[in-house]
């Protein structure tokens, strides 16, 4: 009788792609910021915006004048903010393809909506969320999100393989991260409001629901990180729905293992 054949169990293996996917899910440092080709020699703004270098210099100078009024005050007054928003709106009307003006108007609108933080509170995410959604003008919030979307659309290269300038990368990192922050706050506000409370957010966002808004925030955090924002890289991991799902599975397996050992 022949000896029984022996079998050596093969070790499970992952393809290169599988390994890359798993690493991207759980490791913020693996965010493919290196996939963005930043070339300092490029003109500051992409050619398709049709803003010559001389005109761009003028726009930057005018923009700095407007923003300086905000930075000169530790807590800008409502009148100062409204004046800056009005001046940025005028700049946008005369130069509708200038992305930075939209990004700065969005920031000024955010400051106008939130107002000064109470002196007795710290700037925790929960406190900011309450200020943003309890004392807000929905139209301002709608304009704010629209401005961020326009700034992103104008700044994004036509092809993912196209190189971007340093200014372009910084603008995309900031605007994607800013929008992600807001979408995440709106998502959490809707989730906490439930069916018993009316959340003060635009109807279109309510229709999307908290889960979809969180996924949208995760995508924006991913792109913010891709263009160089380190905080966005970390937040992309925390809000990634697949990473959260895998994390939940691991936690449940550990819980069962612990209970089984008791």
């Amino acid at each position: 009788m022949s000896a029984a054949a022996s079998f050596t169990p093969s070790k499970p293996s992952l393809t290169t792609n599988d390994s890359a996917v798993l690493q991207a899910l759980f490791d913020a440092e693996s965010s493919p910021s290196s996939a963005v080709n930043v070339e300092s020699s490029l003109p500051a703004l992409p050619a398709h915006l049709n803003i010559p270098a001389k005109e761009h210099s003028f726009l930057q100078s005018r923009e700095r004048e407007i923003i300086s009024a905000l930075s000169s005050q530790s807590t800008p007054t409502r009148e100062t903010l409204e004046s800056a928003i009005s001046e940025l709106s005028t700049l946008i009307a005369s130069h509708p393809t200038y992305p930075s003006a939209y990004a700065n108007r969005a920031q000024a609108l955010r400051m106008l909506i939130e107002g000064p933080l109470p002196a007795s509170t710290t700037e925790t995410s929960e406190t900011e969320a309450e200020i943003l959604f309890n004392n807000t003008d929905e139209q301002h919030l709608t304009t704010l999100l629209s401005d961020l979307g326009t700034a992103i659309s104008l700044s994004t290269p036509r092809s993912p393989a196209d190189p971007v300038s340093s200014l372009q990368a910084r603008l995309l990192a900031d605007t994607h991260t800013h929008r992600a922050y807001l979408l995440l706050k709106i998502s959490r506000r809707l989730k906490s409001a439930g069916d018993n409370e009316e959340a003060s957010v635009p109807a279109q966002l309510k229709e999307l629901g908290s889960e979809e808004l969180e996924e949208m925030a995760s995508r924006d955090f991913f792109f913010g990180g891709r263009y160089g924002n380190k905080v966005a890289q970390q937040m992309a991991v925390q809000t990634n729905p697949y990473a959260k799902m895998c994390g939940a599975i691991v936690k449940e397996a550990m819980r069962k293992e612990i209970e089984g050992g008791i």
Side-chain angles (χ1 to χ4, degrees), residues 154-217:
L154 290 171
S155 304
T156 300
R158 292 184 170 179
S159 167
D162 289 345
V164 296
S165 68
S166 300
L167 183 147
Q168 198 176 350
R170 186 170 65 252
L171 184 58
L172 284 166
D174 291 346
T175 49
H176 273 294
T177 304
H178 191 178
R179 188 171 67 177
Y181 168 88
L182 293 173
L183 290 174
L184 186 60
K185 293 302 175 189
I186 294 169
S187 168
R188 290 177 176 174
R189 176 60 175 163
L190 289 177
K191 192 174 294 185
S192 65
D195 298 327
N196 302 320
E197 185 180 351
E198 186 68 17
S200 302
V201 299
Q204 302 95 315
L205 298 179
K206 291 179 187 177
E207 292 174 4
L208 290 172
S210 61
E211 294 300 324
E212 185 167 350
L213 286 171
E214 186 170 350
E215 289 183 20
M216 291 168 64

Side-chain angles (χ1 to χ4, degrees), residues 12-27 30 242 246:
S13 61
L14 293 173
T15 66
T16 302
N17 184 63
D18 289 338
S19 298
V21 169
L22 288 174
Q23 185 181 17
L25 284 175
F26 297 105
D27 182 9
S30 71
Y242 300 104
C246 292

Side-chain angles (χ1 to χ4, degrees), residues 71-238:
S71 58
S72 64
Q73 302 178 12
S74 57
T75 304
T77 64
R78 185 176 186 85
E79 291 74 19
T80 301
L81 287 166
E82 288 177 340
S83 176
I85 290 167
S86 176
E87 292 183 73
L88 286 167
S89 297
T90 299
L91 193 64
I92 287 169
S94 61
H95 297 83
T97 63
Y98 182 49
S100 182
Y102 291 96
N104 277 309
R105 187 170 70 176
Q107 183 62 33
L109 282 165
R110 161 102 173 274
M111 296 169 71
L112 180 67
I113 290 171
E114 291 182 344
L117 284 170
S120 60
T121 66
T122 56
E123 291 190 52
T124 63
S125 59
E126 295 304 321
T127 300
E128 290 175 351
E130 289 302 313
I131 292 171
L132 185 59
F133 299 118
N134 283 339
N135 304 315
T136 184
D137 178 344
E138 288 188 22
Q139 183 56 50
H140 283 158
L141 181 57
T142 299
T143 303
L144 193 169
L145 290 169
S146 175
D147 278 353
L148 290 174
T150 301
I152 289 169
S153 177
L154 290 171
S155 304
T156 300
R158 292 184 170 179
S159 167
D162 289 345
V164 296
S165 68
S166 300
L167 183 147
Q168 198 176 350
R170 186 170 65 252
L171 184 58
L172 284 166
D174 291 346
T175 49
H176 273 294
T177 304
H178 191 178
R179 188 171 67 177
Y181 168 88
L182 293 173
L183 290 174
L184 186 60
K185 293 302 175 189
I186 294 169
S187 168
R188 290 177 176 174
R189 176 60 175 163
L190 289 177
K191 192 174 294 185
S192 65
D195 298 327
N196 302 320
E197 185 180 351
E198 186 68 17
S200 302
V201 299
Q204 302 95 315
L205 298 179
K206 291 179 187 177
E207 292 174 4
L208 290 172
S210 61
E211 294 300 324
E212 185 167 350
L213 286 171
E214 186 170 350
E215 289 183 20
M216 291 168 64
S218 182
R219 286 195 294 272
D220 265 330
F221 278 130
F222 169 80
F223 281 109
R226 187 172 187 266
Y227 285 104
N229 188 296
K230 297 298 184 182
V231 174
Q233 287 181 15
Q234 297 291 334
M235 289 302 298
V237 174
Q238 294 181 32

Side-chain angles (χ1 to χ4, degrees), residues 4-50:
S6 61
F7 296 91
T8 302
S10 60
K11 295 181 180 180
S13 61
L14 293 173
T15 66
T16 302
N17 184 63
D18 289 338
S19 298
V21 169
L22 288 174
Q23 185 181 17
L25 284 175
F26 297 105
D27 182 9
E29 295 303 318
S30 71
S31 182
S33 56
S34 59
V36 176
N37 184 10
V38 180
E39 293 187 7
S40 57
S41 60
L42 285 175
L45 295 177
H48 67 265
L49 298 184
N50 297 315

